Amino acid sequence: MADAFSSGLILPALILAALGWFVPRVFALFWPEGVKWLMLLALVSTIVMALCGAAFFAIIYEANGVNVDDLWETGGIAVLFHFVRLSLISALMWAPLMVLSVAGIPKNWVKEVW
């Protein structure tokens, strides 16, 4: 059971879901208010989360003894597509929470009206 938390999918899923909630909230602290800015915030948060997902899977590969540098030498660009695909699959975990987080940002606006 401990293996499921450390190198399995439970802990990574929880971390990615938490990041999906907190990344837009942290960006919103410094982001201008407004509907157009909110859409840009959602786009930037999605890109950051996609990069976090790919990096997270690369870290899991390294932790399990797979050298990512060796994968680059043997697989080339296919390795990049593999991690992009894993990142898109991980969006099933973080995207719903990110959408809820972005949807709740306008309630804290002071200057703009939603």
Side-chain angles (χ1 to χ4, degrees):
M1 182 70 170
D3 186 45
F5 279 98
S6 61
S7 63
L9 289 178
I10 296 172
L11 184 62
L14 290 174
I15 291 172
L16 283 173
L19 279 174
W21 178 262
F22 286 111
V23 165
R25 294 294 174 141
V26 171
F27 283 154
L29 295 174
F30 310 103
W31 215 263
E33 296 177 1
V35 176
K36 288 185 264 188
W37 289 107
L38 184 67
M39 294 302 127
L40 185 62
L41 175 101
L43 176 67
V44 169
S45 296
T46 301
I47 292 169
V48 167
M49 283 305 301
L51 293 173
C52 285
F56 208 85
F57 279 105
I59 291 168
I60 291 174
Y61 271 50
E62 288 282 341
N64 286 326
V66 177
N67 193 351
V68 177
D69 293 333
D70 292 340
L71 287 176
W72 272 108
E73 291 175 8
T74 59
I77 197 76
V79 175
L80 178 65
F81 288 125
H82 175 69
F83 284 112
V84 167
R85 186 177 55 113
L86 288 175
S87 178
L88 291 175
I89 292 170
S90 74
L92 292 171
M93 293 176 266
W94 56 259
L97 287 172
M98 191 186 80
V99 168
L100 291 173
S101 179
V102 169
I105 289 173
K107 73 178 179 181
N108 298 324
W109 286 352
V110 178
K111 299 174 201 163
E112 294 288 330
V113 178
W114 176 251

